[in-house]
Amino acid sequence: MCDEASNGIQLWYLSFKDLVSPKFKSNAKECHIDKLGFVLYYTNQCPFNAKYVPVIENVSKDLNIAFKAFHLDTKEKAQNAPTPITIYAYFIMVSM
């Protein structure tokens, strides 16, 4: 193990040579957002993810809670997400 995010996700690697070990970027390591409501980060790595975006959006409307979805469709967007798990990361922030 070479790194660990604040939510317990660990980064492991197998070194084949004397290379610098990988690390989480600080934004991913902290697993924190500053937006109130439901916030979803997702990729198309799982073909079912996009199907559930409108489901969560409808639930947020029913509950009168703000909703924002971020489709991570580039390497740069995924690397700058506030989570080390970019396949599907769902944040619920009801107060600050």
Side-chain angles (χ1 to χ4, degrees):
M1 184 184 80
C2 58
D3 204 358
E4 186 170 4
S6 64
N7 65 354
I9 300 296
Q10 297 175 340
L11 180 61
W12 290 69
Y13 81 113
L14 178 61
S15 178
F16 293 104
K17 296 182 180 184
D18 290 331
L19 301 174
V20 177
S21 64
K23 299 282 181 202
F24 288 130
K25 289 179 75 173
S26 62
N27 54 288
K29 192 169 184 165
E30 296 304 316
C31 304
H32 178 76
I33 61 167
D34 291 326
K35 297 174 178 24
L36 287 174
F38 296 162
V39 180
L40 174 65
Y41 292 84
Y42 71 101
T43 68
N44 287 342
Q45 186 172 353
C46 172
F48 302 106
N49 284 347
K51 172 182 170 181
Y52 292 104
V53 174
V55 172
I56 295 173
E57 184 175 21
N58 289 335
V59 169
S60 71
K61 284 179 184 175
D62 291 345
L63 297 174
N64 198 28
I65 296 174
F67 172 74
K68 181 71 177 166
F70 296 94
H71 182 206
L72 306 174
D73 56 358
T74 67
K75 175 182 77 171
E76 292 76 19
K77 287 179 184 178
Q79 289 177 341
N80 291 308
T83 176
I85 305 298
T86 56
I87 296 170
Y88 196 89
Y90 182 51
F91 293 86
I92 301 172
M93 177 85 89
V94 291
S95 66
M96 294 176 112

